[in-house]
Amino acid sequence: MRILAADYLLTMDETRKIIRNGAVLFDGSAIVDISFDKELARSKYPNADFTYLGENSVIMPSLINTHVHLEFSKNRTTLHYGNFIEWLTSVIENKDLTSEEELSSAMQDALAQMKKSGIGAVGAVSSFGKDIEALASSGLKVTLFNEILGTSEERAEDIKSDFLRRFEITKRYASDNFRPAISLHSAYSSCRSIMEFAVSFAKENSLKICSHFMESKAERFWLDRNRGEFKAFFKAFFGLERSFVRPEEFLAKLSGLGAIFIHCTHANEQELETIRNDGAFVVHCPTSNRLLGMRLLDAETAKNMGIEYITATDGLSSNYSLNIWNELRNAIFGYTDLSLKVLPYDLLKSVTVNAAKALGLNSGKLEVGKDADLIAFRLPGAVGEDEHLPLQVILHTQTIEKLIINGVEING
Ligand code: MCF
Ligand code: FE
C-alpha cells in the first residue's frame, strides 16, 4: 500500500471536498482510503510506503485530455489561423511535408508535454494510424478514435477498408487502458454511406464515437443553407453543391451512442438541447476555437442547460501547446464574463470528472474505489480560504511532480 500526503487534496468529489494535510491511500491500482489527517493515516497503516509531498503540495486526480490529434504535431508554424477554411486549406497543403522520423519525434515530444502537464488519459483522434504505437506505449490511458471521413461515394468502399485496416491494428493493442473507438470526422466531410457505416460500426462493436460539430460559421451556413464559405470550397475541391445532411439529422444519426461532440462553438440552443437530452457530450477547445472558429463555446448557456462541458487541447495544428494548464488558463482569460468564483472549479471538473464520464473511465475523482490516477505538484505559496484553491492551481501550475496511473508512477 502507498500513502501520498499533501497540504491540499483537491478531491473533485460530489461534495467538492478540499482536504488540508490529508492523504490518499492506494493499493495496487485502486484508491482504498482518503484520510483527513496524514499523521493518522500513517499510524493506521504503519507498513504502507508513506510520502509527504512537501510544503504547498497539492494532490488531485490526473487530468484527461479528451480531444487531441497527435499526428498533427508537425508543420505548426506554417498553418493559417483566423479563418476555418483557410486553416483547412493550409492543413491539406502541408500534409505531405513531414518525414516519418520528424513526425515520430514530434509525437513523442507531444506525449511528453501532455504527461508533464499531468495528463493521465487521452482521447486521441488517429487519422492515418501513424500514432497508434506511440500512444499504446505511452503509459497513458488511451481511447483511440480511428478517424473516418470522405466526401466521395465512389471512393467509400476504399475508405471503409482503410479504416478497417487501421481499426484491426488498434484492436491488437486493446486492453482496459487502450480502447479502440471511432471518430466520424464531421457532418460536412462525410458522405451518407460513410456516416451510416460509422454509426453501425460503433453500434455493432459498442464503441465510443466522437465527431467535430459546429466548429465554424462556415459549417453553420453550409449545413443549414448550403451557403457561406464552404460553398466555394466544396465546389472547387470536391464538386459538391449541397451538404450531405442537415445538422439535426446528423445529431439524430448519432443518438443513443453517448457520442462526444467536439467544439459546438456555433451550435444553437436546440442542438445543445438535443445533445443534452441524448446523454451525449460537449467538448470545447478554447485555444483552437479562438484560432479556427473565432468564437468560444457559450459555456454559460451550456451550463445553465445542464450540460457538463469538457475542456481539451485539440491538436498542435490548432494550438501552440498540449499543456492542459495553458488551455485552462486560456479559458480563464477567454471567458471574461464568467465569475472567477465559479469558472475555475468548473474548468477543473471539465478535465477530470466530466471527461472521465465521457470516456467511460473509472477516474477523475479522489474517492475510494476509483482508479489511483492522480497527480501531485506544488504551489509557489500557501492559499488562504479553500475557495481560492482552484483558481490558484490553474494560474500557477505548469508541470507536475508526480503522475500516477493505476497506482504506478509514470515518468514524463
Ligand atoms: O479539431 C481540429 C479542427 N477541426 C477539424 N479537424 C481537425 C482538427 N485538428 C486536426 N484535424 C484533422 C482532422 O482530424 O484535420 C483533418 C482531419 O483529419 C481535416 S479534414 C482534411
Ligand atoms: Fe479536432
Side-chain angles (χ1 to χ4, degrees):
M1 187 179 323
R2 242 190 121 176
I3 305 176
L4 278 187
D7 286 4
Y8 308 91
L9 303 190
L10 194 43
T11 67
M12 305 308 297
D13 72 1
E14 274 330 292
T15 63
R16 305 184 164 220
K17 209 162 41 251
I18 289 170
I19 301 171
R20 294 193 182 227
N21 304 310
V24 183
L25 293 85
F26 50 97
D27 201 7
S29 65
I31 296 176
V32 293
D33 204 353
I34 304 286
S35 173
F36 284 84
D37 183 329
K38 65 175 189 284
E39 293 310 328
L40 261 182
R42 197 178 192 172
S43 52
K44 191 169 162 196
Y45 302 98
N47 296 324
D49 169 10
F50 179 92
T51 312
Y52 166 56
L53 293 153
E55 234 174 282
N56 307 313
S57 52
V58 181
I59 299 176
M60 68 176 289
S62 54
L63 310 177
I64 302 168
N65 192 11
T66 308
H67 185 66
V68 63
H69 302 252
L70 218 55
E71 289 163 309
F72 288 77
S73 297
K74 224 26 197 123
N75 302 329
R76 298 157 57 187
T77 51
T78 53
L79 302 175
H80 303 176
Y81 297 133
N83 173 287
F84 189 74
I85 308 253
E86 284 177 29
W87 173 81
L88 200 56
T89 310
S90 72
V91 166
I92 294 168
E93 279 168 0
N94 279 283
K95 80 176 180 340
D96 296 325
L97 296 180
T98 314
S99 71
E100 297 277 326
E101 298 77 51
E102 280 174 330
L103 178 60
S104 162
S105 93
M107 291 195 296
Q108 288 305 333
D109 290 349
L111 284 165
Q113 190 179 38
M114 285 198 281
K115 286 192 247 179
K116 279 199 189 111
S117 79
I119 292 171
V122 291
V125 174
S126 174
S127 304
F128 316 107
K130 292 180 181 169
D131 50 356
I132 299 171
E133 222 181 287
L135 282 157
S137 56
S138 65
L140 297 172
K141 288 190 176 171
V142 176
T143 305
L144 195 131
F145 293 97
N146 286 287
E147 184 176 62
I148 189 162
L149 78 160
T151 53
S152 152
E153 285 290 355
E154 291 76 58
R155 290 206 49 234
E157 286 312 311
D158 290 346
I159 287 168
K160 288 181 210 170
S161 51
D162 180 61
F163 165 83
L164 289 170
R165 177 189 64 80
R166 287 180 282 119
F167 187 78
E168 283 307 312
I169 300 172
T170 57
K171 253 179 43 183
R172 284 185 223 144
Y173 295 96
S175 74
D176 281 353
N177 298 326
F178 186 93
R179 303 175 184 188
I182 181 167
S183 162
L184 172 60
H185 175 257
S186 72
Y188 59 82
S189 59
S190 295
C191 61
R192 283 186 164 261
S193 68
I194 287 180
M195 277 183 208
E196 307 297 348
F197 168 81
V199 170
S200 328
F201 194 79
K203 282 189 181 148
E204 282 158 21
N205 297 281
S206 308
L207 301 178
K208 273 268 145 212
I209 186 165
C210 73
S211 189
H212 297 88
F213 184 68
M214 283 300 171
E215 180 179 6
S216 62
K217 204 170 178 177
E219 182 175 351
R220 181 82 264 167
F221 274 96
W222 177 246
L223 295 184
D224 281 347
R225 293 187 249 157
N226 302 306
R227 293 174 64 164
E229 286 181 279
F230 261 137
K231 190 178 168 75
F233 176 86
F234 276 117
K235 181 103 181 115
F237 279 92
F238 308 105
L240 291 175
E241 300 279 353
R242 312 183 58 77
S243 76
F244 300 106
V245 277
R246 294 198 23 95
E248 60 273 19
E249 193 193 345
F250 184 72
L251 293 179
K253 276 184 196 297
L254 271 75
S255 81
L257 289 165
I260 298 171
F261 292 102
I262 300 136
H263 304 311
C264 302
T265 50
H266 292 70
N268 58 36
E269 281 193 37
Q270 213 178 336
E271 288 156 356
L272 291 175
E273 212 167 275
T274 304
I275 291 172
R276 179 200 61 199
N277 293 346
D278 185 44
F281 301 92
V282 172
V283 172
H284 71 145
C285 307
T287 310
S288 172
N289 297 151
R290 200 276 172 259
L291 292 175
L292 308 189
M294 309 277 282
R295 190 199 281 184
L296 301 187
L297 171 75
D298 184 348
E300 191 172 22
T301 300
K303 188 182 175 186
N304 289 338
M305 291 173 69
I307 291 174
E308 304 204 304
Y309 63 81
I310 293 147
T311 311
T313 62
D314 213 340
L316 282 171
S317 47
S318 53
N319 203 327
Y320 55 90
S321 155
L322 296 184
N323 182 321
I324 201 154
W325 296 107
N326 285 336
E327 201 59 40
L328 300 180
R329 279 188 282 275
N330 288 347
I332 294 279
F333 291 101
Y335 288 110
T336 50
D337 288 348
L338 299 186
S339 163
L340 285 180
K341 292 190 189 309
V342 179
L343 181 63
Y345 193 89
D346 283 352
L347 289 170
L348 292 180
K349 200 162 167 252
S350 80
V351 292
T352 54
V353 182
N354 301 353
K357 215 181 279 176
L359 294 180
L361 301 171
N362 182 37
S363 56
K365 287 180 196 178
L366 302 182
E367 215 169 63
V368 174
K370 291 285 173 196
D371 294 349
D373 292 354
L374 39 105
I375 52 175
F377 53 89
R378 291 222 240 168
L379 291 170
V383 174
E385 296 76 22
D386 288 352
E387 63 178 301
H388 303 300
L389 187 65
L391 177 59
Q392 294 301 341
V393 157
I394 293 176
L395 292 177
H396 292 290
T397 313
Q398 316 291 341
T399 55
I400 48 99
E401 281 177 29
K402 279 188 197 303
L403 169 61
I404 292 172
I405 301 173
N406 288 332
V408 177
E409 201 163 329
I410 303 289
N411 299 317

